[in-house]
Amino acid sequence: MFADGLRRALTLILRGDPEVLGIAALSLRVALVATALACLVGIPVGFLLGTTRFRGRRTALTVLNTMLAFPTVLVGLLVWLLLARSGPLGEAGLLYTWWAIVLAEVLLAAPIAGALTAAAVQGVDPRVRRTALTLGASPFRVHWVVAREARFALFASVVVAFGRVLAEVGAAMIVGGNIRHHTRTLTTAVALATSQGDFALAIALGLVLLALALTVNVLLHLLQGRGDAPGT
Amino acid sequence: MLRARDLRHRYGGRVVLDVPDFTLTPGTVTALVGPNGSGKSTMLRILAGVEPSDEGTLELDGRPVRTPAERRAMRRAVTLVEQHPLLFDMTVAANLRDAVHLHGEAGAGAHARIAEVLDAVGAGPLADRRARTLSGGETQRVAIARGLLLAPRVLLLDEPLSAADRVARDALGGVLDRLRAAGTTVCFSSHQLEDAYRWSTRLFSLVEGRIDGVTPENLFRVDLPPGRGSRTVQAGPLALTVVTERHGPAIVAIPPDDILVSRKPIASSARNQFAGRVSAIAEDGRGRIRLVVDAGTDLVVRITPAALAELGLQIGSPVVLSVKAMAVRVF
């Protein structure tokens, strides 16, 4: 059955099946937007927690690390309650739109970006900061130098956040509703096709999911390679 | 110009620095001498403004440094080269360009001076090397060049000679001479008294977090005759036998702890014996006795209180000082 499914899946992909392409495009869009927003929030917060000393910092780090283990369906439920017509943000009418999925994924991925960033900058040699300071750098440039030193680990946090978002299914199902042409992502579509017994479609979508993950990671890797030798 | 007042700093509850007042005078080369762990690195980091002290204030040009803007202005004026300096993961030349970029106001001519400062520390051939493939000594020299490039008003060097070979020492000596001539204020730390004597114009000791002025005691400017090994030179009124491979102008020092005091001449292996009279007796604050003996010129001698009592010394007592030729230091 798997071999048959695989053969039909390859046909679907190679023929450029519009259904498969549409789902893949939506998934990519959701994943890229959610990863960008999650990093926009998570990386500065992680940076702050990793580089500055203030009261409650340890507590904040513990909370952040706990959020890594948040069940995705729980986040889906919280966002659903938030966006439901009777909820605090019900007016916006976002429930069962791809923005609802983005919101849920940001809540899941931002703690990952934050916690990994905090760990990355905490691991930077303390001399890096002192060197930047003694060279007379402005506070912003001191942070920039620390980030530059931790760039590989920071890239890793982006990659992990993207992986989480792309592979997530529970929250996307709850807040998106798996509506065809609107909120059907690769993962929710795989779940549906499997439950309907359409294994060829499920395998095809699964392969596309893997291919997308591979492509984005290769691109990030190339980007990282270029950042390997700053200023030379 | 750069002054620290009422500095106190603790690590894990232990006071590691206690400095009521310390000033770096413009145009001087100040040496901080002390054993490892005496607080030299902490002192320099605090002076550089890269580590805050628990208590105390820094003053730049008579004005206290308090606000973040004032602290940054101070860090632009003061550059620290750490004992194990960090270079960024790029080429040596790129590190220097990066420093100019980070500093922001190092001056338009800074880029043009990169080759010059690298040559000054004998690191010219390293310009295109990846900085993190350099040896410890090379890294230290490049970091000093990076400090010079920013032309700070105060340059702080933490153990700049610790990883230096002979070539690096000579290069650094030349750099310090030029900095002094240019009016740059320099403060360096060393655990070697010889280095401190040789390169500094002012000398302080830092022991267990406390700074004391060290009077360069029993120092004589001499002209060493050509030759090798044991030689006798005229050190002021004293004919002094020394052992050295050097010749030409030099400074010799008789360490106050290495002088033997007796009431009468003694038969010993010591090549140098000088007769004199005790002209001052004082406690040195560390439980030892500081004697000044007039032997044609004043010589400072440190002995224990027990020795003082046993010899029954008083002001005016005639004494004989004995010093091994090997104990006389030549700089």
Side-chain angles (χ1 to χ4, degrees), chain A residues 127 130-131 134-137 141 148-149 231-232, chain B residues 72 80 82 84 94 98 101-103 130 132 146:
Chain A
R127 290 178 303 166
R130 288 207 302 266
T131 302
T134 195
L135 295 176
R141 278 181 175 155
R148 185 174 71 184
E149 197 71 15
T232 47
Chain B
R72 185 170 179 227
L80 166 70
E82 298 200 55
H84 301 289
D98 192 55
H101 174 69
L102 289 174
H103 189 270
R130 295 289 295 190
R132 294 203 176 156
R146 180 171 67 180

mmCIF file with all atom_site columns, all heavy atoms in Angstrom, chain A residues 127 130-131 134-137 141 148-149 231-232, chain B residues 72 80 82 84 94 98 101-103 130 132 146:
data_model
loop_
_atom_site.group_PDB
_atom_site.id
_atom_site.type_symbol
_atom_site.label_atom_id
_atom_site.label_alt_id
_atom_site.label_comp_id
_atom_site.label_asym_id
_atom_site.label_entity_id
_atom_site.label_seq_id
_atom_site.pdbx_PDB_ins_code
_atom_site.Cartn_x
_atom_site.Cartn_y
_atom_site.Cartn_z
_atom_site.occupancy
_atom_site.B_iso_or_equiv
_atom_site.pdbx_formal_charge
_atom_site.auth_seq_id
_atom_site.auth_comp_id
_atom_site.auth_asym_id
_atom_site.auth_atom_id
_atom_site.pdbx_PDB_model_num
ATOM 1   N N   . ARG A 1 127 ? 34.356 38.004 27.716 1.00 0.00 ? 127 ARG A N   1
ATOM 2   C CA  . ARG A 1 127 ? 35.331 38.969 27.199 1.00 0.00 ? 127 ARG A CA  1
ATOM 3   C C   . ARG A 1 127 ? 34.805 39.699 25.962 1.00 0.00 ? 127 ARG A C   1
ATOM 4   O O   . ARG A 1 127 ? 35.263 40.789 25.641 1.00 0.00 ? 127 ARG A O   1
ATOM 5   C CB  . ARG A 1 127 ? 36.644 38.269 26.837 1.00 0.00 ? 127 ARG A CB  1
ATOM 6   C CG  . ARG A 1 127 ? 37.417 37.779 28.056 1.00 0.00 ? 127 ARG A CG  1
ATOM 7   C CD  . ARG A 1 127 ? 38.668 37.054 27.630 1.00 0.00 ? 127 ARG A CD  1
ATOM 8   N NE  . ARG A 1 127 ? 38.356 35.946 26.735 1.00 0.00 ? 127 ARG A NE  1
ATOM 9   C CZ  . ARG A 1 127 ? 39.257 35.314 26.001 1.00 0.00 ? 127 ARG A CZ  1
ATOM 10  N NH1 . ARG A 1 127 ? 40.515 35.690 26.023 1.00 0.00 ? 127 ARG A NH1 1
ATOM 11  N NH2 . ARG A 1 127 ? 38.905 34.303 25.233 1.00 0.00 ? 127 ARG A NH2 1
ATOM 12  N N   . ARG A 1 130 ? 33.088 42.769 27.220 1.00 0.00 ? 130 ARG A N   1
ATOM 13  C CA  . ARG A 1 130 ? 34.096 43.687 27.770 1.00 0.00 ? 130 ARG A CA  1
ATOM 14  C C   . ARG A 1 130 ? 34.928 44.314 26.664 1.00 0.00 ? 130 ARG A C   1
ATOM 15  O O   . ARG A 1 130 ? 35.257 45.500 26.710 1.00 0.00 ? 130 ARG A O   1
ATOM 16  C CB  . ARG A 1 130 ? 35.019 42.930 28.741 1.00 0.00 ? 130 ARG A CB  1
ATOM 17  C CG  . ARG A 1 130 ? 34.391 42.552 30.056 1.00 0.00 ? 130 ARG A CG  1
ATOM 18  C CD  . ARG A 1 130 ? 35.446 42.431 31.142 1.00 0.00 ? 130 ARG A CD  1
ATOM 19  N NE  . ARG A 1 130 ? 36.468 41.461 30.844 1.00 0.00 ? 130 ARG A NE  1
ATOM 20  C CZ  . ARG A 1 130 ? 36.446 40.194 31.238 1.00 0.00 ? 130 ARG A CZ  1
ATOM 21  N NH1 . ARG A 1 130 ? 35.451 39.759 31.963 1.00 0.00 ? 130 ARG A NH1 1
ATOM 22  N NH2 . ARG A 1 130 ? 37.420 39.378 30.925 1.00 0.00 ? 130 ARG A NH2 1
ATOM 23  N N   . THR A 1 131 ? 35.280 43.499 25.652 1.00 0.00 ? 131 THR A N   1
ATOM 24  C CA  . THR A 1 131 ? 36.091 44.025 24.549 1.00 0.00 ? 131 THR A CA  1
ATOM 25  C C   . THR A 1 131 ? 35.330 45.111 23.810 1.00 0.00 ? 131 THR A C   1
ATOM 26  O O   . THR A 1 131 ? 35.876 46.182 23.540 1.00 0.00 ? 131 THR A O   1
ATOM 27  C CB  . THR A 1 131 ? 36.473 42.885 23.581 1.00 0.00 ? 131 THR A CB  1
ATOM 28  O OG1 . THR A 1 131 ? 37.184 41.888 24.325 1.00 0.00 ? 131 THR A OG1 1
ATOM 29  C CG2 . THR A 1 131 ? 37.351 43.388 22.454 1.00 0.00 ? 131 THR A CG2 1
ATOM 30  N N   . THR A 1 134 ? 35.307 48.239 25.948 1.00 0.00 ? 134 THR A N   1
ATOM 31  C CA  . THR A 1 134 ? 36.568 48.975 26.066 1.00 0.00 ? 134 THR A CA  1
ATOM 32  C C   . THR A 1 134 ? 36.996 49.588 24.738 1.00 0.00 ? 134 THR A C   1
ATOM 33  O O   . THR A 1 134 ? 37.826 50.487 24.702 1.00 0.00 ? 134 THR A O   1
ATOM 34  C CB  . THR A 1 134 ? 37.689 48.097 26.662 1.00 0.00 ? 134 THR A CB  1
ATOM 35  O OG1 . THR A 1 134 ? 38.748 48.958 27.070 1.00 0.00 ? 134 THR A OG1 1
ATOM 36  C CG2 . THR A 1 134 ? 38.218 47.105 25.667 1.00 0.00 ? 134 THR A CG2 1
ATOM 37  N N   . LEU A 1 135 ? 36.402 49.108 23.635 1.00 0.00 ? 135 LEU A N   1
ATOM 38  C CA  . LEU A 1 135 ? 36.669 49.747 22.348 1.00 0.00 ? 135 LEU A CA  1
ATOM 39  C C   . LEU A 1 135 ? 35.767 50.967 22.161 1.00 0.00 ? 135 LEU A C   1
ATOM 40  O O   . LEU A 1 135 ? 35.779 51.600 21.120 1.00 0.00 ? 135 LEU A O   1
ATOM 41  C CB  . LEU A 1 135 ? 36.485 48.753 21.201 1.00 0.00 ? 135 LEU A CB  1
ATOM 42  C CG  . LEU A 1 135 ? 37.483 47.573 21.187 1.00 0.00 ? 135 LEU A CG  1
ATOM 43  C CD1 . LEU A 1 135 ? 37.160 46.593 20.073 1.00 0.00 ? 135 LEU A CD1 1
ATOM 44  C CD2 . LEU A 1 135 ? 38.910 48.064 21.049 1.00 0.00 ? 135 LEU A CD2 1
ATOM 45  N N   . GLY A 1 136 ? 34.955 51.252 23.179 1.00 0.00 ? 136 GLY A N   1
ATOM 46  C CA  . GLY A 1 136 ? 34.143 52.468 23.152 1.00 0.00 ? 136 GLY A CA  1
ATOM 47  C C   . GLY A 1 136 ? 32.832 52.319 22.400 1.00 0.00 ? 136 GLY A C   1
ATOM 48  O O   . GLY A 1 136 ? 32.254 53.312 21.964 1.00 0.00 ? 136 GLY A O   1
ATOM 49  N N   . ALA A 1 137 ? 32.352 51.081 22.230 1.00 0.00 ? 137 ALA A N   1
ATOM 50  C CA  . ALA A 1 137 ? 31.129 50.854 21.461 1.00 0.00 ? 137 ALA A CA  1
ATOM 51  C C   . ALA A 1 137 ? 29.905 51.390 22.203 1.00 0.00 ? 137 ALA A C   1
ATOM 52  O O   . ALA A 1 137 ? 29.859 51.388 23.431 1.00 0.00 ? 137 ALA A O   1
ATOM 53  C CB  . ALA A 1 137 ? 30.961 49.369 21.185 1.00 0.00 ? 137 ALA A CB  1
ATOM 54  N N   . ARG A 1 141 ? 25.727 48.784 19.829 1.00 0.00 ? 141 ARG A N   1
ATOM 55  C CA  . ARG A 1 141 ? 26.800 48.042 19.159 1.00 0.00 ? 141 ARG A CA  1
ATOM 56  C C   . ARG A 1 141 ? 27.383 46.950 20.051 1.00 0.00 ? 141 ARG A C   1
ATOM 57  O O   . ARG A 1 141 ? 27.839 45.932 19.552 1.00 0.00 ? 141 ARG A O   1
ATOM 58  C CB  . ARG A 1 141 ? 27.897 49.002 18.707 1.00 0.00 ? 141 ARG A CB  1
ATOM 59  C CG  . ARG A 1 141 ? 27.531 49.660 17.382 1.00 0.00 ? 141 ARG A CG  1
ATOM 60  C CD  . ARG A 1 141 ? 28.619 50.579 16.916 1.00 0.00 ? 141 ARG A CD  1
ATOM 61  N NE  . ARG A 1 141 ? 28.328 51.116 15.594 1.00 0.00 ? 141 ARG A NE  1
ATOM 62  C CZ  . ARG A 1 141 ? 28.819 52.262 15.150 1.00 0.00 ? 141 ARG A CZ  1
ATOM 63  N NH1 . ARG A 1 141 ? 29.623 52.969 15.913 1.00 0.00 ? 141 ARG A NH1 1
ATOM 64  N NH2 . ARG A 1 141 ? 28.525 52.684 13.939 1.00 0.00 ? 141 ARG A NH2 1
ATOM 65  N N   . ARG A 1 148 ? 26.651 38.898 17.172 1.00 0.00 ? 148 ARG A N   1
ATOM 66  C CA  . ARG A 1 148 ? 27.522 38.439 16.090 1.00 0.00 ? 148 ARG A CA  1
ATOM 67  C C   . ARG A 1 148 ? 28.324 37.216 16.535 1.00 0.00 ? 148 ARG A C   1
ATOM 68  O O   . ARG A 1 148 ? 28.501 36.261 15.783 1.00 0.00 ? 148 ARG A O   1
ATOM 69  C CB  . ARG A 1 148 ? 28.464 39.590 15.717 1.00 0.00 ? 148 ARG A CB  1
ATOM 70  C CG  . ARG A 1 148 ? 29.356 39.303 14.535 1.00 0.00 ? 148 ARG A CG  1
ATOM 71  C CD  . ARG A 1 148 ? 30.131 40.522 14.134 1.00 0.00 ? 148 ARG A CD  1
ATOM 72  N NE  . ARG A 1 148 ? 31.159 40.846 15.110 1.00 0.00 ? 148 ARG A NE  1
ATOM 73  C CZ  . ARG A 1 148 ? 31.947 41.927 15.039 1.00 0.00 ? 148 ARG A CZ  1
ATOM 74  N NH1 . ARG A 1 148 ? 31.784 42.789 14.062 1.00 0.00 ? 148 ARG A NH1 1
ATOM 75  N NH2 . ARG A 1 148 ? 32.855 42.156 15.955 1.00 0.00 ? 148 ARG A NH2 1
ATOM 76  N N   . GLU A 1 149 ? 28.759 37.254 17.790 1.00 0.00 ? 149 GLU A N   1
ATOM 77  C CA  . GLU A 1 149 ? 29.534 36.126 18.312 1.00 0.00 ? 149 GLU A CA  1
ATOM 78  C C   . GLU A 1 149 ? 28.651 34.878 18.437 1.00 0.00 ? 149 GLU A C   1
ATOM 79  O O   . GLU A 1 149 ? 29.129 33.759 18.272 1.00 0.00 ? 149 GLU A O   1
ATOM 80  C CB  . GLU A 1 149 ? 30.102 36.523 19.683 1.00 0.00 ? 149 GLU A CB  1
ATOM 81  C CG  . GLU A 1 149 ? 31.234 35.662 20.172 1.00 0.00 ? 149 GLU A CG  1
ATOM 82  C CD  . GLU A 1 149 ? 32.530 35.886 19.395 1.00 0.00 ? 149 GLU A CD  1
ATOM 83  O OE1 . GLU A 1 149 ? 32.650 36.883 18.664 1.00 0.00 ? 149 GLU A OE1 1
ATOM 84  O OE2 . GLU A 1 149 ? 33.413 35.019 19.521 1.00 0.00 ? 149 GLU A OE2 1
ATOM 85  N N   . GLY A 1 231 ? 33.407 40.677 7.745  1.00 0.00 ? 231 GLY A N   1
ATOM 86  C CA  . GLY A 1 231 ? 34.458 41.678 7.679  1.00 0.00 ? 231 GLY A CA  1
ATOM 87  C C   . GLY A 1 231 ? 35.760 41.236 7.042  1.00 0.00 ? 231 GLY A C   1
ATOM 88  O O   . GLY A 1 231 ? 36.716 41.978 7.068  1.00 0.00 ? 231 GLY A O   1
ATOM 89  N N   . THR A 1 232 ? 35.819 40.011 6.509  1.00 0.00 ? 232 THR A N   1
ATOM 90  C CA  . THR A 1 232 ? 37.089 39.616 5.909  1.00 0.00 ? 232 THR A CA  1
ATOM 91  C C   . THR A 1 232 ? 37.128 40.036 4.449  1.00 0.00 ? 232 THR A C   1
ATOM 92  O O   . THR A 1 232 ? 36.108 40.287 3.854  1.00 0.00 ? 232 THR A O   1
ATOM 93  C CB  . THR A 1 232 ? 37.293 38.095 5.958  1.00 0.00 ? 232 THR A CB  1
ATOM 94  O OG1 . THR A 1 232 ? 36.123 37.454 5.518  1.00 0.00 ? 232 THR A OG1 1
ATOM 95  C CG2 . THR A 1 232 ? 37.627 37.661 7.340  1.00 0.00 ? 232 THR A CG2 1
ATOM 96  N N   . ARG B 2 72  ? 30.218 56.134 28.937 1.00 0.00 ? 72  ARG B N   1
ATOM 97  C CA  . ARG B 2 72  ? 30.638 55.822 27.574 1.00 0.00 ? 72  ARG B CA  1
ATOM 98  C C   . ARG B 2 72  ? 31.735 56.779 27.112 1.00 0.00 ? 72  ARG B C   1
ATOM 99  O O   . ARG B 2 72  ? 32.700 56.373 26.471 1.00 0.00 ? 72  ARG B O   1
ATOM 100 C CB  . ARG B 2 72  ? 29.450 55.883 26.611 1.00 0.00 ? 72  ARG B CB  1
ATOM 101 C CG  . ARG B 2 72  ? 29.917 55.441 25.257 1.00 0.00 ? 72  ARG B CG  1
ATOM 102 C CD  . ARG B 2 72  ? 28.864 55.204 24.227 1.00 0.00 ? 72  ARG B CD  1
ATOM 103 N NE  . ARG B 2 72  ? 29.546 54.802 23.009 1.00 0.00 ? 72  ARG B NE  1
ATOM 104 C CZ  . ARG B 2 72  ? 29.275 55.299 21.815 1.00 0.00 ? 72  ARG B CZ  1
ATOM 105 N NH1 . ARG B 2 72  ? 28.316 56.168 21.672 1.00 0.00 ? 72  ARG B NH1 1
ATOM 106 N NH2 . ARG B 2 72  ? 29.961 54.900 20.776 1.00 0.00 ? 72  ARG B NH2 1
ATOM 107 N N   . LEU B 2 80  ? 41.388 49.399 27.455 1.00 0.00 ? 80  LEU B N   1
ATOM 108 C CA  . LEU B 2 80  ? 42.048 48.326 28.216 1.00 0.00 ? 80  LEU B CA  1
ATOM 109 C C   . LEU B 2 80  ? 42.434 47.188 27.282 1.00 0.00 ? 80  LEU B C   1
ATOM 110 O O   . LEU B 2 80  ? 41.644 46.767 26.446 1.00 0.00 ? 80  LEU B O   1
ATOM 111 C CB  . LEU B 2 80  ? 41.077 47.801 29.287 1.00 0.00 ? 80  LEU B CB  1
ATOM 112 C CG  . LEU B 2 80  ? 41.439 46.471 29.958 1.00 0.00 ? 80  LEU B CG  1
ATOM 113 C CD1 . LEU B 2 80  ? 42.645 46.622 30.870 1.00 0.00 ? 80  LEU B CD1 1
ATOM 114 C CD2 . LEU B 2 80  ? 40.257 45.930 30.753 1.00 0.00 ? 80  LEU B CD2 1
ATOM 115 N N   . GLU B 2 82  ? 43.347 43.413 27.789 1.00 0.00 ? 82  GLU B N   1
ATOM 116 C CA  . GLU B 2 82  ? 43.356 42.412 28.846 1.00 0.00 ? 82  GLU B CA  1
ATOM 117 C C   . GLU B 2 82  ? 44.549 41.466 28.723 1.00 0.00 ? 82  GLU B C   1
ATOM 118 O O   . GLU B 2 82  ? 45.183 41.379 27.677 1.00 0.00 ? 82  GLU B O   1
ATOM 119 C CB  . GLU B 2 82  ? 42.050 41.607 28.804 1.00 0.00 ? 82  GLU B CB  1
ATOM 120 C CG  . GLU B 2 82  ? 40.835 42.495 29.057 1.00 0.00 ? 82  GLU B CG  1
ATOM 121 C CD  . GLU B 2 82  ? 39.627 41.701 29.496 1.00 0.00 ? 82  GLU B CD  1
ATOM 122 O OE1 . GLU B 2 82  ? 39.741 40.956 30.482 1.00 0.00 ? 82  GLU B OE1 1
ATOM 123 O OE2 . GLU B 2 82  ? 38.584 41.806 28.846 1.00 0.00 ? 82  GLU B OE2 1
ATOM 124 N N   . HIS B 2 84  ? 44.527 38.196 28.657 1.00 0.00 ? 84  HIS B N   1
ATOM 125 C CA  . HIS B 2 84  ? 44.209 37.236 27.596 1.00 0.00 ? 84  HIS B CA  1
ATOM 126 C C   . HIS B 2 84  ? 43.159 37.908 26.721 1.00 0.00 ? 84  HIS B C   1
ATOM 127 O O   . HIS B 2 84  ? 41.974 37.643 26.855 1.00 0.00 ? 84  HIS B O   1
ATOM 128 C CB  . HIS B 2 84  ? 43.672 35.933 28.197 1.00 0.00 ? 84  HIS B CB  1
ATOM 129 C CG  . HIS B 2 84  ? 44.639 35.293 29.128 1.00 0.00 ? 84  HIS B CG  1
ATOM 130 N ND1 . HIS B 2 84  ? 45.794 34.685 28.695 1.00 0.00 ? 84  HIS B ND1 1
ATOM 131 C CD2 . HIS B 2 84  ? 44.651 35.189 30.476 1.00 0.00 ? 84  HIS B CD2 1
ATOM 132 C CE1 . HIS B 2 84  ? 46.465 34.232 29.738 1.00 0.00 ? 84  HIS B CE1 1
ATOM 133 N NE2 . HIS B 2 84  ? 45.793 34.530 30.836 1.00 0.00 ? 84  HIS B NE2 1
ATOM 134 N N   . ALA B 2 94  ? 40.931 43.004 9.719  1.00 0.00 ? 94  ALA B N   1
ATOM 135 C CA  . ALA B 2 94  ? 39.494 43.235 9.877  1.00 0.00 ? 94  ALA B CA  1
ATOM 136 C C   . ALA B 2 94  ? 39.159 43.556 11.331 1.00 0.00 ? 94  ALA B C   1
ATOM 137 O O   . ALA B 2 94  ? 38.280 44.370 11.614 1.00 0.00 ? 94  ALA B O   1
ATOM 138 C CB  . ALA B 2 94  ? 38.708 42.022 9.403  1.00 0.00 ? 94  ALA B CB  1
ATOM 139 N N   . ASP B 2 98  ? 37.282 46.813 12.450 1.00 0.00 ? 98  ASP B N   1
ATOM 140 C CA  . ASP B 2 98  ? 36.080 46.648 13.272 1.00 0.00 ? 98  ASP B CA  1
ATOM 141 C C   . ASP B 2 98  ? 36.149 47.530 14.525 1.00 0.00 ? 98  ASP B C   1
ATOM 142 O O   . ASP B 2 98  ? 35.149 48.124 14.929 1.00 0.00 ? 98  ASP B O   1
ATOM 143 C CB  . ASP B 2 98  ? 35.974 45.162 13.670 1.00 0.00 ? 98  ASP B CB  1
ATOM 144 C CG  . ASP B 2 98  ? 34.630 44.828 14.274 1.00 0.00 ? 98  ASP B CG  1
ATOM 145 O OD1 . ASP B 2 98  ? 33.608 45.098 13.605 1.00 0.00 ? 98  ASP B OD1 1
ATOM 146 O OD2 . ASP B 2 98  ? 34.588 44.315 15.398 1.00 0.00 ? 98  ASP B OD2 1
ATOM 147 N N   . HIS B 2 101 ? 35.289 50.972 13.691 1.00 0.00 ? 101 HIS B N   1
ATOM 148 C CA  . HIS B 2 101 ? 33.846 51.043 13.463 1.00 0.00 ? 101 HIS B CA  1
ATOM 149 C C   . HIS B 2 101 ? 33.095 51.073 14.798 1.00 0.00 ? 101 HIS B C   1
ATOM 150 O O   . HIS B 2 101 ? 32.184 51.872 14.993 1.00 0.00 ? 101 HIS B O   1
ATOM 151 C CB  . HIS B 2 101 ? 33.425 49.834 12.627 1.00 0.00 ? 101 HIS B CB  1
ATOM 152 C CG  . HIS B 2 101 ? 31.954 49.717 12.445 1.00 0.00 ? 101 HIS B CG  1
ATOM 153 N ND1 . HIS B 2 101 ? 31.234 50.603 11.670 1.00 0.00 ? 101 HIS B ND1 1
ATOM 154 C CD2 . HIS B 2 101 ? 31.063 48.827 12.952 1.00 0.00 ? 101 HIS B CD2 1
ATOM 155 C CE1 . HIS B 2 101 ? 29.962 50.256 11.709 1.00 0.00 ? 101 HIS B CE1 1
ATOM 156 N NE2 . HIS B 2 101 ? 29.830 49.194 12.478 1.00 0.00 ? 101 HIS B NE2 1
ATOM 157 N N   . LEU B 2 102 ? 33.483 50.202 15.736 1.00 0.00 ? 102 LEU B N   1
ATOM 158 C CA  . LEU B 2 102 ? 32.796 50.127 17.025 1.00 0.00 ? 102 LEU B CA  1
ATOM 159 C C   . LEU B 2 102 ? 33.016 51.404 17.830 1.00 0.00 ? 102 LEU B C   1
ATOM 160 O O   . LEU B 2 102 ? 32.120 51.894 18.502 1.00 0.00 ? 102 LEU B O   1
ATOM 161 C CB  . LEU B 2 102 ? 33.291 48.916 17.835 1.00 0.00 ? 102 LEU B CB  1
ATOM 162 C CG  . LEU B 2 102 ? 32.869 47.549 17.323 1.00 0.00 ? 102 LEU B CG  1
ATOM 163 C CD1 . LEU B 2 102 ? 33.536 46.446 18.135 1.00 0.00 ? 102 LEU B CD1 1
ATOM 164 C CD2 . LEU B 2 102 ? 31.355 47.401 17.400 1.00 0.00 ? 102 LEU B CD2 1
ATOM 165 N N   . HIS B 2 103 ? 34.228 51.918 17.765 1.00 0.00 ? 103 HIS B N   1
ATOM 166 C CA  . HIS B 2 103 ? 34.556 53.116 18.535 1.00 0.00 ? 103 HIS B CA  1
ATOM 167 C C   . HIS B 2 103 ? 33.763 54.315 18.015 1.00 0.00 ? 103 HIS B C   1
ATOM 168 O O   . HIS B 2 103 ? 33.305 55.149 18.793 1.00 0.00 ? 103 HIS B O   1
ATOM 169 C CB  . HIS B 2 103 ? 36.054 53.377 18.446 1.00 0.00 ? 103 HIS B CB  1
ATOM 170 C CG  . HIS B 2 103 ? 36.530 54.457 19.359 1.00 0.00 ? 103 HIS B CG  1
ATOM 171 N ND1 . HIS B 2 103 ? 36.570 55.772 18.977 1.00 0.00 ? 103 HIS B ND1 1
ATOM 172 C CD2 . HIS B 2 103 ? 36.972 54.424 20.639 1.00 0.00 ? 103 HIS B CD2 1
ATOM 173 C CE1 . HIS B 2 103 ? 37.030 56.500 19.994 1.00 0.00 ? 103 HIS B CE1 1
ATOM 174 N NE2 . HIS B 2 103 ? 37.271 55.709 21.005 1.00 0.00 ? 103 HIS B NE2 1
ATOM 175 N N   . ARG B 2 130 ? 43.874 34.772 10.142 1.00 0.00 ? 130 ARG B N   1
ATOM 176 C CA  . ARG B 2 130 ? 42.648 34.699 10.939 1.00 0.00 ? 130 ARG B CA  1
ATOM 177 C C   . ARG B 2 130 ? 43.052 34.904 12.394 1.00 0.00 ? 130 ARG B C   1
ATOM 178 O O   . ARG B 2 130 ? 43.952 34.230 12.896 1.00 0.00 ? 130 ARG B O   1
ATOM 179 C CB  . ARG B 2 130 ? 41.986 33.312 10.812 1.00 0.00 ? 130 ARG B CB  1
ATOM 180 C CG  . ARG B 2 130 ? 41.485 32.963 9.424  1.00 0.00 ? 130 ARG B CG  1
ATOM 181 C CD  . ARG B 2 130 ? 40.274 33.734 9.010  1.00 0.00 ? 130 ARG B CD  1
ATOM 182 N NE  . ARG B 2 130 ? 39.084 33.457 9.814  1.00 0.00 ? 130 ARG B NE  1
ATOM 183 C CZ  . ARG B 2 130 ? 37.881 33.894 9.493  1.00 0.00 ? 130 ARG B CZ  1
ATOM 184 N NH1 . ARG B 2 130 ? 37.701 34.594 8.390  1.00 0.00 ? 130 ARG B NH1 1
ATOM 185 N NH2 . ARG B 2 130 ? 36.853 33.624 10.248 1.00 0.00 ? 130 ARG B NH2 1
ATOM 186 N N   . ARG B 2 132 ? 41.880 34.156 15.235 1.00 0.00 ? 132 ARG B N   1
ATOM 187 C CA  . ARG B 2 132 ? 41.788 33.097 16.240 1.00 0.00 ? 132 ARG B CA  1
ATOM 188 C C   . ARG B 2 132 ? 42.716 31.924 15.963 1.00 0.00 ? 132 ARG B C   1
ATOM 189 O O   . ARG B 2 132 ? 42.642 30.891 16.631 1.00 0.00 ? 132 ARG B O   1
ATOM 190 C CB  . ARG B 2 132 ? 40.331 32.652 16.407 1.00 0.00 ? 132 ARG B CB  1
ATOM 191 C CG  . ARG B 2 132 ? 39.515 33.805 16.987 1.00 0.00 ? 132 ARG B CG  1
ATOM 192 C CD  . ARG B 2 132 ? 38.259 33.407 17.688 1.00 0.00 ? 132 ARG B CD  1
ATOM 193 N NE  . ARG B 2 132 ? 37.639 34.592 18.269 1.00 0.00 ? 132 ARG B NE  1
ATOM 194 C CZ  . ARG B 2 132 ? 36.353 34.696 18.537 1.00 0.00 ? 132 ARG B CZ  1
ATOM 195 N NH1 . ARG B 2 132 ? 35.541 33.700 18.292 1.00 0.00 ? 132 ARG B NH1 1
ATOM 196 N NH2 . ARG B 2 132 ? 35.880 35.793 19.064 1.00 0.00 ? 132 ARG B NH2 1
ATOM 197 N N   . ARG B 2 146 ? 45.506 47.169 18.399 1.00 0.00 ? 146 ARG B N   1
ATOM 198 C CA  . ARG B 2 146 ? 44.116 47.615 18.309 1.00 0.00 ? 146 ARG B CA  1
ATOM 199 C C   . ARG B 2 146 ? 43.869 48.771 19.285 1.00 0.00 ? 146 ARG B C   1
ATOM 200 O O   . ARG B 2 146 ? 43.199 49.751 18.957 1.00 0.00 ? 146 ARG B O   1
ATOM 201 C CB  . ARG B 2 146 ? 43.182 46.437 18.618 1.00 0.00 ? 146 ARG B CB  1
ATOM 202 C CG  . ARG B 2 146 ? 41.714 46.764 18.557 1.00 0.00 ? 146 ARG B CG  1
ATOM 203 C CD  . ARG B 2 146 ? 40.870 45.520 18.648 1.00 0.00 ? 146 ARG B CD  1
ATOM 204 N NE  . ARG B 2 146 ? 40.983 44.871 19.964 1.00 0.00 ? 146 ARG B NE  1
ATOM 205 C CZ  . ARG B 2 146 ? 40.347 43.761 20.308 1.00 0.00 ? 146 ARG B CZ  1
ATOM 206 N NH1 . ARG B 2 146 ? 39.556 43.165 19.434 1.00 0.00 ? 146 ARG B NH1 1
ATOM 207 N NH2 . ARG B 2 146 ? 40.504 43.239 21.493 1.00 0.00 ? 146 ARG B NH2 1
#
